[in-house]
């Protein structure tokens, strides 16, 4: 979803903007907006067979500017709970009800999530950090899973 000031560049266009500061958020709960998503393919791994995936670009607005987190949602029955959590977070799914995923309504959607910080080693050997989504919260605002006596 591009705003009116965004456009593709030609090979010989002049550029002016400097690189923005990469913001690492402290671990915590944040409101997010889905900037965009791309359809992709997961080639398979030890834990998950090959399947389609949605590559989400999430924006979290802070006092220092916008922080961006890329999050993959894998379209497989193994990860159906994670898909449900995301769609519940953006208000498309209601707990206990089936949902046909409406990807056309995903860009621009808002929700809340727990954000964590992970450390990793870059290809050049440098130690770096990045934010990651730990969990999505239901749109109703609760930050803890609901509990019903006798259910697990």
């Amino acid at each position: 979803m591009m705003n009116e000031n965004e456009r593709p560049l030609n090979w010989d266009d002049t550029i002016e903007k400097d690189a923005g500061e990469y913001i690492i958020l402290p671990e915590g709960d944040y409101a997010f907006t889905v900037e965009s998503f791309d359809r992709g393919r997961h080639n398979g791994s030890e834990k998950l067979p090959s399947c389609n995936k949605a590559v989400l670009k999430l924006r979290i607005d802070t006092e220092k500017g916008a922080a961006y987190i890329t999050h993959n949602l894998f379209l497989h029955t193994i990860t159906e709970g994670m898909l449900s959590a995301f769609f519940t977070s953006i208000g498309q799914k209601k707990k206990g009800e089936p949902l046909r995923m409406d990807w056309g309504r995903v860009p621009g959607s808002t929700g809340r999530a727990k954000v964590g910080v992970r450390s990793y080693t870059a290809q050049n050997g440098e130690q770096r950090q990045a934010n990651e989504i730990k969990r999505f919260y239901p749109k109703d605002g609760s930050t803890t899973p609901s509990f019903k006596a006798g259910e697990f």
Side-chain angles (χ1 to χ4, degrees):
M1 178 185 289
M2 291 194 303
N3 69 38
E4 66 271 0
N5 296 325
E6 294 177 340
R7 66 177 175 77
L9 295 171
N10 291 315
W11 292 105
D12 57 351
D13 274 353
T14 301
I15 57 174
E16 299 176 34
K17 293 181 185 175
D18 293 322
E21 179 183 334
Y22 185 74
I23 298 172
I24 298 289
L25 300 169
E27 192 167 307
D29 298 338
Y30 294 90
F32 67 85
T33 300
V34 180
E35 281 277 307
S36 63
F37 90 93
D38 290 314
R39 296 172 192 264
R41 186 86 183 144
H42 173 64
N43 292 326
S45 66
E46 198 173 289
K47 295 181 181 180
L48 184 66
S50 63
C51 61
N52 291 324
K53 70 177 178 178
V55 182
L56 303 173
K57 183 177 180 184
L58 306 177
R59 184 187 78 235
I60 298 172
D61 294 317
T62 73
E63 292 176 0
K64 295 180 182 179
Y68 293 92
I69 299 174
T70 300
H71 183 76
N72 292 320
L73 288 175
F74 300 99
L75 280 68
H76 196 283
T77 54
I78 293 171
T79 59
E80 191 172 345
M82 291 177 219
L83 288 163
S84 287
F86 170 72
F87 279 100
T88 300
S89 178
I90 63 172
Q92 280 195 37
K93 185 177 186 315
K94 302 289 183 219
K95 185 170 174 58
E97 295 179 11
L99 171 79
R100 180 177 301 275
M101 298 178 288
D102 186 351
W103 294 99
R105 289 179 43 211
V106 168
S109 295
T110 60
R112 289 190 57 77
K114 178 171 223 36
V115 172
V117 178
R118 69 176 173 85
S119 297
Y120 66 97
T121 304
Q123 288 181 347
N124 65 2
E126 183 179 314
Q127 291 296 311
R128 295 187 183 171
Q129 290 186 320
N131 286 123
E132 63 183 354
I133 300 296
K134 293 290 195 178
R135 69 172 295 179
F136 290 104
Y137 294 122
K139 191 71 160 184
D140 66 14
S142 66
T143 57
T144 57
S146 60
F147 171 79
K148 291 183 184 173
E151 290 185 11
F152 294 99

